């Protein structure tokens, strides 16, 4: 197997070796050699060599290698016979260098040429289709159908065409898509061509209907122009007749108007004087209030400063007592210290005299004898003397400790008794201060009751004043509303007239929203008015062109402004059905009655507005449910879409008429309320008393704060002293047991010392017996006492004096320190008291100065108040006179106003008709409407478009009063245009029901317009028919080209597809035919399976 694989070009790495030289057969050498641990072979050696007779190891290795003679090259030759019977010799050799050499028919070739020759015979090295290796059959049998298909494609050569197959398939799919696109495009253009041909027929029918509609419009315009001309002529004659009546009426009114103007001037003069005095009074009152507000803090500061000074002086007295106690203590302790010093000096003097009197002298021999005996005593009692020395030293130390403890106990006991006395004194002061706090609190409560009573009275008066002011404001608002009502009624009347004129001139004007829509129930009136808002007086028109014509009319005639809602172009949102069904709510559209043709306009002005029964329901709809709507309550409250709210408003009173009697009653009520307000007590004095009480309360509260702070200071001082006393008692409790214990120990030590002294004394008596008898002493201790007891007593006495002096000096130091602290506190309090006294003097000076200024201002204020009363009486008389003159003028001016209104109405009607005539003619020019004209008439195209009709400058102004003597009717500018009314039917000229004729003509035009609107032709259809035909021809050519490309791509793809199928099917058929016999041969067993198995 390895040899066949080797000769057919398989790499050594794919065989059972790493290098080519490992494939060389060495079986002959291995039979005569020994295999080493590393796999190398070594030739067998003789016994002599093994025993060491062959020399060194290197020589043996070299010799063995030469004797083994391993092969270094090998070759394999394959003899191949093709289908024609020709034989080919393929040879592959492993050279001595360990590389491959390839030969075909003894001709050396390269590895690539060798492989190409094998592939020419369908021997594929990579596919290994010439051998079946171990495990390959099982591996192939376990593959999936997809992998088996790919293997068969690889074996058959079909896989080489896969890339070309996929490429041609993409080309075919792309060509088919392009063909389908061209086909759909051709079908779409065919459909479009049919549609344009249908639209062409509709456009021709539309043109015929438009001509009929234009003729109806010309008839309507001629009828309106005829009526305009008729009204202009009749109104001019009526105006001239009413003018003569107006002249006489105006002369009667002028006399009363002059008297009224004189009365008004006198009233105005008095009013100016009152205003000046009122300003002066207010200025004075502000100055007084400012001064009084400045005095109250000064009084409070003075009281506080006095209380602070009194407190400081009282504290100085209390602290002075403490200072005297400390000073006396220092003085007594100093005196005791001097006494101790004097006693110590006297004692020292007596000691010296006693020593001089009792002293004796011994001879040198006696002294030697004494010293010899002392040494003998020391030898015999050395142990007891050593113990005695230790006990003596310990006794002195314990004595000093006991004295110190006794001094501490005495000092702590003395300080504790002193602190007890101080605590008693603090308790007395604390009780006194608590009583003072109770008195101050009682006084504060009394002042508060008085203050609350005055405040209640002031608030009652202020409430009465507020109620009067509110009533007065209400009356003033009604008076103002009366004047506004008059103006609003006049404005509404002018707007109604303007809309009526536009309805006569322009057939598409429907009317105002407020006239066309009404609430279905009375309770919805306020809510519906609020929903309509600024659209309440908006004008609904048929289309946008009518709205533009009306706007031009208003500009030309200077008739003000108006909002127009064209039914054909307004954008409106459908009602949100989710808002319906909520309890207590209704859509605003559902609460109004209107014609169905106006539904678009009503839906536009109402939108998604919701009318709710109350504000709670409105909040629930807008905020809880988060609906983006405008909610309006029945009382007019609004929650806007943005979340902001507008308060409720009452029902409109535009139509209310205010009579003179009601106005006069309102004026009298106003005067009555003003008099009642003037008669109410002034709040300034009550406020002054309240401020004084408030100042006293502030002072008392400050005093209470100081008293409480002082009580707290006593509490803190008491706690501090109590803490100090507890500390001293704790020290005493700790020191007394120690002192008593040390005293007992000291006494025990003295007893032990006496016992040791007795033992030593016995030894001394035995040794010094003869010596004492010889010198006349009872014992040796008498002699030594004369010489040493004096020093011992001195030391003891000095220690006592020193202890007593130390205790006295400590007491003096403590008391002096307390004395210094007390004097420092007294100095601080005295300085503070002096500062408070200086501040009191300064503040009292400022208060006296401010009070003097307040008195001067009060006197001036009283004088001004007297002048004010006189002027008010005078003003009241002038007002009565003005009212009387006004009533006279109003009575005589009603006739003038009636006549003027009549003239103004006629002139307005004349001007309106003239403007309407001009506007209608301009519309004809702009819209290119051919109306018949007389032969001598100016052509319609010469009518100026931007020129506004100019009234005669001497003519009457419609909105102002003027001198009627200069009045004359305005001149109508017709620009020389004369209309020929011959074509107008006589029935239209003589009819008296203009509204009915207007409706019939409009209905005819609307019917034709409706038919035209429903037709909606495409006027450019004729042009687009030819364009569509040209596009269709171009698309046909594109489709034919795409079809040819698709057919060509399909043929190329089919060829590759058939070739792949042929190769694959050929290999598959061969495998299917051969696999059965081969499997039978492989599995045939003469005994068990003589026929072989079935694949």
């Amino acid at each position: 197997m390895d040899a066949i694989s080797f000769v057919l070009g398989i790499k050594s790495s794919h065989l059972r070796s790493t290098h080519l030289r490992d494939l060389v057969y060495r079986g002959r050498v291995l039979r005569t050699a020994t295999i080493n641990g590393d796999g190398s072979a070594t030739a067998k050696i003789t016994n002599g060599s093994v025993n060491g007779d062959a020399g060194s190891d290197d020589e043996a290795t070299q010799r063995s290698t030469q004797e083994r003679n391993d092969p270094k090259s090998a070759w394999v030759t394959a003899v191949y016979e093709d289908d024609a019977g020709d034989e080919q010799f393929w040879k592959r050799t492993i050279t001595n260098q360990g590389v491959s050499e390839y030969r075909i028919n003894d001709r050396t070739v390269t590895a690539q040429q060798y492989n190409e020759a094998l592939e020419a015979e369908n021997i594929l090295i990579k596919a290994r289709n010439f051998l079946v290796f171990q495990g390959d059959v099982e591996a192939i049998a376990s593959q999936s159908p997809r992998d088996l298909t790919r293997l068969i494609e690889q074996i058959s050569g079909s896989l080489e065409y896969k890339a070309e197959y996929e490429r041609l398939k993409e080309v075919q799919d792309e060509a088919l898509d392009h063909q389908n696109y061209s086909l759909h495009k051709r079908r779409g253009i065919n459909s479009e061509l049919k549609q344009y041909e249908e639209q062409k027929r509709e456009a021709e029918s539309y043109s015929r209907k438009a001509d009929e509609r234009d003729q109806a419009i010309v008839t309507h315009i001629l009828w309106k122009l005829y009526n305009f001309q008729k009204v202009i002529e009749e109104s001019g004659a009526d105006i001239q007749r009413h003018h003569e009546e107006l002249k006489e009426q105006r002369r009667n009114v002028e006399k009363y108007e002059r008297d009224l103007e004189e009365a008004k001037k006198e009233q105005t003069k008095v009013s100016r004087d009152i205003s000046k005095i009122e300003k002066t009074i207010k200025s004075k009152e502000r100055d007084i209030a400012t001064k009084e507000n400045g005095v109250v803090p000064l009084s409070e500061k003075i009281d506080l400063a006095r209380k602070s000074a009194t407190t400081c002086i009282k504290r100085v007295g209390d602290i002075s007592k403490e200072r005297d106690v400390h000073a006396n203590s220092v003085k007594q302790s100093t005196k005791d210290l001097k006494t101790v010093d004097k006693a110590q000096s006297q004692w020292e003097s007596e000691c010296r005299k006693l020593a001089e009197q009792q002293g004796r002298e011994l001879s040198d021999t006696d002294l030697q004898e004494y010293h010899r005996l002392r040494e003998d005593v020391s030898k015999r009692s050395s142990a007891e003397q050593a113990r005695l020395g230790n006990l003596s030293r310990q006794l002195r130390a314990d004595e000093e400790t006991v004295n110190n403890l006794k001094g501490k106990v005495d000092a702590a006991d003395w300080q504790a008794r002193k602190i007890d006395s101080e605590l008693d004194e603090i308790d007395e002061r604390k009780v006194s201060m608590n009583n003072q706090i109770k008195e101050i609190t009682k006084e504060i409560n009394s002042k508060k009751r008085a203050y609350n009573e005055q405040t209640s009275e002031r608030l009652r008066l202020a409430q009465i004043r507020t109620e009067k002011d509110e009533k007065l404001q209400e009356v003033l608002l009604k008076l103002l509303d009366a004047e506004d009502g008059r103006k609003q009624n006049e404005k509404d009347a002018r707007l109604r007239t303007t809309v009526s004129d536009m309805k006569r001139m322009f057939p598409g004007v429907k009317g105002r929203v407020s006239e066309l829509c009404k609430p279905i129930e009375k309770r919805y009136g306020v809510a519906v008015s609020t929903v309509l808002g600024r659209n309440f007086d908006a004008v609904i028109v048929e289309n946008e062109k009518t709205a533009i014509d009306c706007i031009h009319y208003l500009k030309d005639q200077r008739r003000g402004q108006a909002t127009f809602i064209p039914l054909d172009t307004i954008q409106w949102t459908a009602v949100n059905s989710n808002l319906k069904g909520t309890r207590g709510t209704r859509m605003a559209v559902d609460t109004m009655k209107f014609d169905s043709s106006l539904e678009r306009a009503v839906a536009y002005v109402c939108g998604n507005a919701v009318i709710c029964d109350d504000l709670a329901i409105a909040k629930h709809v807008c905020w809880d449910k988060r609906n983006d709507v405008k909610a309006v309550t029945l009382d007019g409250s609004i929650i806007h879409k943005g979340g902001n709210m507008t308060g409720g408003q009452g029902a409109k009173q535009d139509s209310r008429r205010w009579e003179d009697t009601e106005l006069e009653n309102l004026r009298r009520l106003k005067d009555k309320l003003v008099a009642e307000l003037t008669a109410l007590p002034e709040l300034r004095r009550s406020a002054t008393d309240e401020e004084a009480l408030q100042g006293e309360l502030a002072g008392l509260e400050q005093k209470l704060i100081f008293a409480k702070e002082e009580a707290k200071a006593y509490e803190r001082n008491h706690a501090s002293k109590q803490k100090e006393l507890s500390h001293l008692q704790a020290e005493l409790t700790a020191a007394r047991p120690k002192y008593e214990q040390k005293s007992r120990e000291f006494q025990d030590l003295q007893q032990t010392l006496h016992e040791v002294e007795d033992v030593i004394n016995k030894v001394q008596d035995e040794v010094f017996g003869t010596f004492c008898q010889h010198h006349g002493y009872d014992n040796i201790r008498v002699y030594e006492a004369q010489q040493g007891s004096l020093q011992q007593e001195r030391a003891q006495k000095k220690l006592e004096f020193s202890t007593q002096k130390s205790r006295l000096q400590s007491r003096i130091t403590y008391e002096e320190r307390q004395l210094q602290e007390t004097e420092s506190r007294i100095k601080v309090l005295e300085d503070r008291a002096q500062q408070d006294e200086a501040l009191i003097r300064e503040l009292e000076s400022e208060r006296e100065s401010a009070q003097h200024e307040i008195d001067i201002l009060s006197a001036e204020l009283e004088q001004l108040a007297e002048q004010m009363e006189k002027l008010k009486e005078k003003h009241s008389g002038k007002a009565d006179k003005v009212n009387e003159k006004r009533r006279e003028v109003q009575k005589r001016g009603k006739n003038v106003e009636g006549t003027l209104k009549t003239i103004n109405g006629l002139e307005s009607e004349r001007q309106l008709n003239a403007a309407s005539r001009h506007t209608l003619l301009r519309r004809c020019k702009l819209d290119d409407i051919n109306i018949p004209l007389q032969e001598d008439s100016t052509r319609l195209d010469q009518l100026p478009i931007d020129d506004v009709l100019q009234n005669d400058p001497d003519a009457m102004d419609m909105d102002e009063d003027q001198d009627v003597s200069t009045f004359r009717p305005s001149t109508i500018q017709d620009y020389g245009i004369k209309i020929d009314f011959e074509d107008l039917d006589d029935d239209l000229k003589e009819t008296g029901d203009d509204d009915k004729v207007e409706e019939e003509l409009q209905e005819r035009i609307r019917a034709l317009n409706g038919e035209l609107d429903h037709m909606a032709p495409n006027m450019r259809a004729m042009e687009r028919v030819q364009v569509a035909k040209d596009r269709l021809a171009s698309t046909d050519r594109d489709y034919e080209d795409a079809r040819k490309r698709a057919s060509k791509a399909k043929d190329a793809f089919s060829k590759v597809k058939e070739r792949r199928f042929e190769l694959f099917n050929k290999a598959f058929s061969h495998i299917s035919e051969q696999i059965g016999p081969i499997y039978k041969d492989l599995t045939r067993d003469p005994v068990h399976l003589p026929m072989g198995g079935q694949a």
Side-chain angles (χ1 to χ4, degrees), residues 6 20-21 24 72-74 93-101:
F6 173 75
L20 285 174
R21 62 170 60 93
V24 177
K72 296 182 180 179
S73 64
T93 304
I94 300 174
T95 64
N96 294 333
Q97 290 77 21
V99 297
S100 295
E101 183 183 70

Side-chain angles (χ1 to χ4, degrees), residues 1010-1062:
E1011 294 178 7
L1012 292 173
D1013 291 341
H1014 289 302
M1015 294 175 69
N1018 184 1
M1019 304 305 294
R1020 300 184 61 185
M1022 290 181 287
E1023 300 175 4
R1024 293 181 178 178
V1025 167
Q1026 187 60 38
V1027 175
K1029 289 180 179 180
D1030 296 340
R1031 289 173 58 201
L1032 180 61
S1034 176
T1035 304
D1036 287 338
R1037 290 191 295 271
D1038 293 342
Y1039 172 72
E1040 188 63 27
D1041 294 340
R1043 188 185 63 77
K1044 291 179 180 179
R1045 286 196 300 271
S1047 178
K1048 186 177 181 181
K1050 183 178 180 181
D1051 294 340
F1053 174 71
S1054 298
K1055 289 179 181 180
V1056 175
K1057 181 178 179 181
E1058 291 174 358
R1059 177 60 180 163
R1060 287 193 71 189
F1061 177 76
E1062 180 183 356

Side-chain angles (χ1 to χ4, degrees), residues 828-840:
V828 171
L829 291 172
E830 289 177 349
D831 293 342
R832 187 182 299 173
Q834 292 177 0
Q835 294 175 0
D836 292 338
E837 292 294 337
L839 179 62
I840 289 170

Side-chain angles (χ1 to χ4, degrees), residues 319 323 818-828:
I319 296 173
R323 181 189 61 185
Q818 294 293 326
L819 181 61
Q820 289 176 359
E821 292 179 358
T822 306
E823 290 178 348
S824 175
R825 290 163 60 192
I826 290 172
K827 182 65 169 61
V828 171

Side-chain angles (χ1 to χ4, degrees), residues 465-479 666-667 669-675 677:
R465 183 179 294 275
T466 302
E467 292 175 356
K468 299 293 183 183
D469 285 334
E470 290 177 354
K471 291 181 180 179
L472 180 60
Q473 292 298 325
E474 185 179 355
V475 171
L476 293 175
L477 287 175
K478 288 181 179 179
L479 289 171
L666 288 174
R667 291 193 183 98
L669 180 58
K670 181 197 72 172
D671 296 337
K672 178 182 178 183
L673 291 173
V674 170
L677 285 172

Side-chain angles (χ1 to χ4, degrees), residues 252-350:
N252 293 331
V253 173
E254 287 177 356
K255 176 179 179 300
Y256 292 98
E257 287 181 344
R258 286 193 296 270
D259 295 340
L260 177 61
E261 290 299 324
E262 291 295 331
K264 285 183 178 180
K265 288 180 181 179
E266 294 177 359
Q267 184 186 15
T268 303
K269 183 178 179 181
V270 176
S271 298
R272 283 197 297 268
D273 294 339
I274 291 174
S275 178
K276 290 179 181 179
I277 293 177
E278 285 179 347
K279 289 180 180 179
T280 305
I281 289 173
K282 290 181 179 178
S283 176
K284 297 293 183 182
E285 288 177 347
R286 285 195 298 270
D287 292 341
I288 291 173
T290 302
K291 296 294 183 181
E292 289 177 347
N293 291 335
V295 168
V296 172
L298 290 174
S299 300
E300 293 177 0
K301 290 179 181 179
I302 290 171
D303 293 339
L304 293 177
R306 285 176 178 172
K307 293 172 183 177
S308 178
T310 304
T311 303
C312 291
I313 293 171
K314 185 177 179 181
R315 289 289 296 159
V316 167
D318 296 338
I319 296 173
S320 296
K321 294 179 181 180
E322 294 182 9
R323 181 189 61 185
D324 296 339
V325 171
H326 291 303
N328 293 332
S329 180
V330 170
K331 185 177 180 181
Q332 183 64 35
S333 298
T334 304
K335 183 178 179 181
D336 293 343
L337 182 61
K338 289 180 180 180
T339 303
V340 172
D341 289 337
K342 185 176 179 181
Q344 184 178 6
S345 300
Q346 184 178 358
W347 173 78
E348 289 177 352
S349 176
E350 291 176 354

